[in-house]
Amino acid sequence: MRLSLRFVLPLMLALAGIAYAVAPLVDQLTLRWFVRDLEIRASLIANTIQEPLQEQLAAGKRVKIAEFFSRITQDERIYAVGYCASPTSAALATRSLPAELRCAALDSWEGPGDHLLRSAQGLLHVAVMPMASEMSPAGRLVLVHDMSFVTRRSEETKRYVFYFFMGLAAVVSLITVIIAQLSWRGWIAGMRSLLRGEGLLRQPGPGAQANLPEFRPIARDLQRLIHELESETRARDEDQITWTPESLRAILHGELRGEDVIVVSNREPYIHQRRGDRIEVQRPASGLVTALEPIMRACSGTWIAHGSGSADRELVDKHDRVAVPPEKPAYQIRRVWLSAEEEAGYYYGFANEGLWPLCHIAHVRPTFRSADWAQYVAVNRKFATAVASEATTKNPIVLVQDYHFALLPKMIREELPDATVIAFWHIPWPNPESFAICPWRDEVLAGLLGSSILGFHTQSHCNNFVDTVDRFLEARVDRESFTVSFGGKLTAVRRYPISIAWPPQAEMLQQSVRDCRHEIRQLHDLPPEHKLGAGIDRLDYTKGIMERFRAIERLLELNPEWIGRFTFVQVAAPTRAGIEEYQHHESQVRVMAARINARFARHGPPAIVLSIEHHEPREVYRYFRAADVCFVSSLHDGMNLVAKEFVAARDDERGVLILSQFTGAARELPEALIVNPYDADRCAAALHLALTMPVVEQRDRMRLMRGLVAEFNVYRWAGRMLLDAAAMRLRGRLIENTGRVET
């Protein structure tokens, strides 16, 4: 009770002081409002009486005018009325007109101002308005309002404000005291003892031995939690961390105590393909793999993925695992095997004919089939089983990657209730109207909300997801903290812009820029000083390859001096060849490249070199280092790491990046030439500007972009997610231990 009074009395006194401080302000505001109202009222009265007053003035009926004014003053708020024909004349007025309002002194009462007169009768408001007539063009009407009612209302208002603050103090104090009593009554005494050090954090005296056994478990828990809170505070200061594989590993082993980390994705980072009698190892052309593979090297966890290579089964052990990278194993791949029917329905069907076009604004209609959905559910369930079998603890950290596994977070939660699931959606999230097309939208949303943390590349994608949940699910959305409470589970929706490893692997930069330029030009039979552009993409309709080719054609039309002096090499990795839309897109790309080359072939080297085949990362880096221009023209992209890889490859600080405004990377790399890929003329102008850009400007732009990619690298991306996961686990332990102390 004394504690309650100690809290309630200062609160009430503070609010009383605030009430007294606010009262003069309320008084001033009230007075201004009433003055404004009286000015409006005076204007209305003047307009009303103007015509009859002018008639009586014209007739010279001074007695009638006096009676007329007396009737007007019968209004309880009108104190006096007067009329001055000229500054030198005597006023026609009621007897109550103050002596200060002589006709000669009315000029000071016109124009802007409050026009308040303090007299023996109290506060008066004076309004002087022109009232011209034929006989007196300079006539003015004087209206005086009694403002004693304002004083009365102001006093009432101040009393109400005071009573309101006192009532507010009483209610807030009562609620706070009740909550405090209910929440903390069970362990306040123990915490007081802890803070005094009585038998908990220091060795107790002989008289305290009886209390030690009871509080020793609490002391251990509190000591551990205090240590973890201090660690979290240190680690969360991101500006003090140099983000490297070593710092990421330190976070994992320090903040997360070396806990189990599992990555789940459809695509595996290493594919084993049989080529005759030998087995070849391939690295797929995937931004997801580019980002996550360095993370797994640092964390030494397990990567669960679809085993799609022709020789994948030959190299796994009896548990379907294989250690990678082949040259220096750092982590394991657990391969999941899918039948042709499962792959067709889950991957080619629902994921890439349904969700992929649904989430990208590329003007391709999504296709949804119930059979594909059934396979999607079954494959997600198969991966959930694999996660449960690979987990070495009951509470692993599981990083679920991309739109192939929208249902997986909820399924993992059913298998491993204590797991921390971080789902990352690598592609854009559409607005609610677009997502409403999906027949199983509620199931997809519910699956993703099984995550502890759900990440997107940009804040606009986070906003779209929260709006979609708010529109279609019975969930509690907190837009201030960006959390969603659904089915008794809280999901944090966060922005984590993905990036690439920094610095790039030494072997990628081993060959000099000069040698790369020479070899690539020799490979394509180009002269040594020939200008070279590069595009590195999967052969996907969202990448804007055809729009890129139109821009190149337009460049050669508008600037024919580049014909025979500029060649664009398009490296396009085949992808999803089993989908009809991709087959059609490939044929269109081939036809367009051939048509443009035929049009400009008479002038030496081809305008476009199209290479539709898989290229290893080292080959891709050779093109990046050899190119004068890299053109990224995606029609819609979550991030697009090609842009960042090009920047990372240019340790010579040369080269120009042309970047679509519809990529997440455009928000982070404004020093690139940002273009609308649908505008061929502007893209052609950007190409011409890039090809003629002075070396000094190239270096200035490239230095800024390289600095940003170095600071915000993939280790920072992963570190932020892991730190958020650590903080979430810590909060869970605090709640659990608090509940145990209360018990």
Side-chain angles (χ1 to χ4, degrees), residues 5 13 249 461 471 474 490 563 592 603 658 672 742:
L5 288 174
L13 290 173
R249 196 176 293 113
H461 298 160
R471 179 79 62 89
E474 291 293 330
L490 196 66
I563 299 174
M592 179 175 282
H603 298 284
I658 302 176
E742 288 178 348

Side-chain angles (χ1 to χ4, degrees), residues 351-367 541:
N352 287 305
E353 287 187 279
L355 290 178
W356 178 268
L358 175 69
C359 293
H360 288 85
I361 303 174
H363 314 294
V364 172
R365 183 177 307 202
T367 301
Y541 52 77

